């Protein structure tokens, strides 16, 4: 047995993920020591209630409520408590006391990432967060390291398992939104309050993290456009299927060209020298980014369409590498623990090798465009009065609004409430600017020929 140097590992939190991390650290300690080149000694686990039952069998003497004492003297601190405070204070304490830190806390990184990364930079420590986006799926390291020499054009991610489970059940079994939510809660896929998932907040946090890495730009959470899936009903799912699509909640992070006058919502360029600004203009001239989360139609042939159940997938389009897809479990205690343990081994290796940590690369500092400037294709579903001339009126309003029609499908439907024959129009558009599209939809709604705007969905992935 090799006599490795001992590294003191402090764990904050022993819930779904933390209890699995502790169990695996204890179970595979020797093997992990061989990989890390250091013995990883779990010196304590901070929780709120040391006597609460745990998902794994862990020695009672490791538990404490005194997180601050545990952090002092630790070489590696693993934060798996979740939430903003006290997680943020503990992470900063750990960094300032010379530890490397591992966290899975997307909420914290999406809202206070720059402060935490700056603190780590100041002392040469490193922050590891592979589990903070898409759980067990390795996506942080591929973006941060493997693709560091490439230019990412676009990321489309299914990064929230709960919403994918809901939409998938609606698509494959014709299930109702509220029934599936209740079932997902019973199975433990959805929280008692599902708002963070179904309204897209969780996916938006992950989008901010992925876009920051992919585009070397600080992406604040407020710059991520967010829409949830609560308006998606059976009809929208059926209409999508009929047109050859499936609806997915997508996190889309996109590099846009020719956006010279894009107004930045990202970090400021204050302090950059004119020379640096010239070089930047040459490297990134006219480029900007868009980061958005919304339910979108994706063609059934696209690899993301075959992501079923609560699985996650991240589809990356890079200039040189082409298309890459990362797929697997986006959550789950033991699955997420795998990503955390990988980070612990990396942190241990760096600790042994010495030297300063690698900071976050945010120098591209690209402007982030508001949603109104984004260009996509759309599927607009309208209910209109079924009489001559209506289609021509609708086409005229779309054309005036700079929204060009690609396909139209008309079905006469039986609508007893209206007392007049009603036709349902499903209009596929060519690429249009979001602002033009939404102004045009408002004009259609007010036109007198449209009984109801049933849905307006973006089409992504082609
Ligand atoms: P969890 O089950 O709610 O566990 C939280 C743990 O933190 C509990 O052990 C709790 O102690 C402890 N804790 C909370 N507040 C504390 C405080 N003020 N002082 C001391 N201990 C405190 O959370 P989780 O699901 O494991 O998630 C942990 C992190 O991983 C979160 O950031 C989450 O977003 C992220 N994550 C989770 C998953 C997943 O599948 N669960 C996937 C990816 C990322 P008690 O047990 O005594 O209450």
């Amino acid at each position: 047995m090799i006599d490795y140097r001992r590294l003191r590992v402090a764990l904050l939190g022993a819930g779904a993920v933390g209890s699995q991390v502790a169990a695996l650290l204890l179970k595979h300690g020797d093997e992990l020591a061989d990989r890390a080149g250091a013995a990883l000694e779990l010196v304590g686990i901070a929780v709120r209630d040391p006597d609460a039952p745990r998902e794994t069998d862990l020695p009672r003497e490791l538990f404490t409520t005194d997180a601050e004492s545990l952090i002092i003297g630790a070489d590696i601190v693993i934060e798996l408590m979740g939430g903003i405070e006290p997680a943020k204070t503990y992470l900063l304490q750990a960094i300032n006391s010379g530890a490397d830190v591992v966290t899975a806390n997307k909420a914290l990184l999406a809202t206070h990432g720059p402060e935490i990364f700056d603190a780590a930079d100041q002392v040469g420590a490193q922050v590891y967060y592979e589990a903070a986006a898409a759980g067990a799926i390795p996506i942080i390291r591929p973006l941060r390291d493997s693709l560091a020499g490439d230019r990412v054009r676009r990321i489309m991610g299914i990064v929230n398992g709960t919403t994918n489970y809901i939409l998938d059940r609606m698509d494959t079994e014709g299930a109702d939104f509220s029934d599936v939510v209740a079932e997902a809660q019973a199975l433990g896929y959805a929280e008692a309050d599902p708002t963070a998932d179904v309204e897209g907040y969780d996916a938006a946090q992950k989008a901010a993290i992925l876009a920051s890495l992919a585009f070397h730009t600080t992406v604040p959470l407020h710059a991520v456009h967010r829409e949830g899936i609560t308006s998606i009903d059976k009809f929208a799912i059926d209409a999508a299927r009929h047109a050859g699509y499936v609806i997915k909640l997508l996190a889309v992070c996109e590099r846009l060209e020719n956006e010279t006058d894009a107004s930045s919502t990202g970090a400021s360029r204050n302090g950059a020298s004119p020379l640096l600004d010239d070089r930047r203009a040459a490297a990134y001239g006219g480029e900007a980014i868009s980061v958005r989360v919304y339910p979108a139609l994706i063609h059934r042939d696209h690899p993301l369409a075959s992501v079923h159940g609560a699985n996650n997938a991240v589809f990356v389009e890079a200039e040189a590498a082409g298309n890459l897809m990362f797929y697997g479990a986006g959550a789950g205690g033991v699955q997420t623990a795998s990503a955390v343990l990988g980070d612990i081994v990396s942190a241990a290796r760096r600790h042994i090798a010495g030297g300063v940590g690698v900071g976050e690369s945010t120098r591209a500092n690209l402007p982030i465009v508001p949603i109104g400037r984004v260009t996509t294709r759309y599927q607009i579903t309208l209910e209109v009065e079924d009489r001559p001339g209506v289609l021509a009126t609708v086409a005229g309003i779309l054309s005036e609004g700079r929204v060009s029609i690609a396909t139209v499908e008309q079905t006469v439907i039986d609508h007893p409430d209206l007392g007049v024959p009603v036709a349902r129009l499903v209009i596929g558009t060519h690429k249009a600017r979001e602002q033009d599209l939404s102004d045009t939809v408002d004009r259609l709604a007010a036109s007198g020929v449209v009984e109801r705007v049933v849905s307006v969905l973006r089409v992504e992935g082609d």
Side-chain angles (χ1 to χ4, degrees):
M1 173 87 194
I2 301 169
D3 190 17
Y4 289 115
R5 180 178 149 194
R6 302 191 82 70
L7 292 181
R8 294 167 60 85
V9 177
L11 177 61
L12 313 181
V17 184
S19 61
Q20 299 291 346
V21 167
L24 292 170
L25 256 180
L26 295 172
K27 184 175 170 198
H28 300 306
D30 291 344
E31 212 177 312
L32 291 172
D34 285 340
R35 290 182 205 162
L40 300 166
E41 184 190 358
L42 183 59
V43 291
I45 307 172
V47 291
R48 280 178 297 215
D49 176 6
D51 297 319
R54 302 285 155 197
E55 285 179 25
T56 56
D57 196 14
L58 299 168
R60 173 68 183 78
E61 61 275 16
L62 284 177
F63 286 93
T64 175
T65 53
D66 186 359
E68 299 201 11
S69 301
L70 200 56
I71 290 167
I72 297 166
D75 298 300
I76 299 170
V77 173
I78 309 157
E79 184 278 305
L80 293 171
M81 298 187 324
I84 305 300
E85 285 295 356
K88 180 178 153 215
T89 301
Y90 291 156
L91 267 188
L92 291 172
Q93 277 174 1
I95 288 167
N96 289 324
S97 70
D100 280 321
V101 295
V102 176
T103 180
N105 195 332
K106 61 218 150 214
L108 180 58
L109 292 179
T111 47
H112 297 279
E115 188 182 341
I116 289 161
F117 297 132
D118 281 354
D121 264 0
Q122 299 283 324
V123 297
Q126 181 134 8
V127 182
Y128 297 85
Y129 54 100
E130 184 60 71
I137 303 173
I139 185 63
I140 301 297
R141 260 187 209 82
L143 287 175
R144 184 180 166 138
D145 299 329
S146 321
L147 291 167
D150 207 332
R151 300 183 91 237
V152 174
R153 284 200 174 122
R154 187 154 58 149
I155 295 177
M156 287 192 296
I158 295 173
V159 291
N160 181 271
T162 307
T163 46
N164 201 59
Y165 175 82
I166 294 168
L167 292 172
D168 190 41
R169 289 286 314 277
M170 290 174 78
D171 179 55
T172 54
E173 291 167 35
D176 230 39
F177 178 81
S178 43
D179 292 347
V180 198
V181 172
E183 197 186 307
Q185 285 168 324
L187 288 169
Y189 290 151
E191 302 281 333
D193 176 3
T195 311
D197 293 322
V198 298
E199 293 294 357
Y201 290 102
D202 173 82
Q205 290 168 351
K206 293 165 182 168
I209 293 171
L210 296 178
S212 297
L213 280 167
F215 303 124
H216 308 277
T217 293
T218 300
V219 177
L221 191 54
H222 64 76
V224 180
H225 175 82
R226 177 198 52 78
E227 293 170 33
I229 63 162
T230 49
S231 64
I232 304 299
D233 57 11
K234 238 163 133 49
F235 170 74
I237 298 273
D238 289 345
R241 186 185 308 106
H242 185 71
Y245 295 107
V246 59
I247 301 177
K248 297 285 186 191
L249 183 71
L250 292 183
V252 183
C253 315
E254 194 171 28
R255 189 189 291 269
L256 307 169
E257 282 162 11
N258 306 318
E259 288 284 343
T260 34
D261 56 342
S263 59
S264 173
T265 44
S268 86
R269 290 185 179 176
N270 285 352
S273 73
L275 179 62
L276 218 57
D277 267 348
D278 283 352
R279 281 200 200 137
R280 221 173 243 141
Y284 307 108
E287 287 189 354
I289 60 171
S290 154
V291 190
R292 51 201 199 258
V293 168
Y294 46 50
L297 300 174
I298 193 135
H299 200 275
R300 284 188 180 261
D301 288 344
H302 194 282
L304 286 173
S306 56
V307 177
H308 296 291
N311 282 307
N312 281 197
V314 183
F315 191 81
V316 180
E317 299 171 29
E319 217 166 88
N323 296 343
L324 307 165
M325 182 147 118
F326 302 83
Y327 169 86
V334 72
Q335 294 88 340
T336 306
S338 160
V340 174
L341 282 158
D343 279 351
I344 297 170
V345 170
S346 296
R349 286 175 180 156
R350 199 195 78 77
H351 223 87
I352 294 295
V356 294
V358 181
E360 293 303 288
S361 154
T362 54
R363 295 249 170 83
N365 202 9
L366 296 172
I368 305 164
V369 299
I371 186 73
R373 299 178 63 115
V374 169
T375 300
T376 50
R377 298 203 294 116
Y378 296 85
Q379 189 190 69
I380 307 167
T381 305
L382 308 171
E383 280 174 7
V384 298
E385 223 180 298
D386 186 24
R387 61 174 167 79
V390 168
L391 193 54
T393 307
V394 168
I397 294 170
L398 287 164
S399 161
E400 275 165 32
R402 293 188 293 271
V403 179
S404 152
I405 299 175
T407 56
V408 183
E409 197 177 304
Q410 178 171 341
T411 330
V412 177
I413 55 167
D414 190 20
H415 215 312
D417 302 346
L418 294 172
V420 286
V422 169
R424 186 166 282 158
L425 293 182
V426 179
I427 303 167
T429 78
H430 290 295
K431 280 196 166 180
R433 209 154 242 235
E434 176 90 16
Q435 192 61 56
D436 291 340
L437 192 281
S438 86
D439 292 348
T440 304
V441 170
D442 287 348
R443 256 177 263 130
L444 282 169
S447 66
V449 300
V450 172
E451 299 288 343
R452 189 161 79 97
V453 177
V454 181
S455 68
V456 179
L457 285 166
R458 289 93 171 175
V459 181
E460 293 283 357
D462 49 15

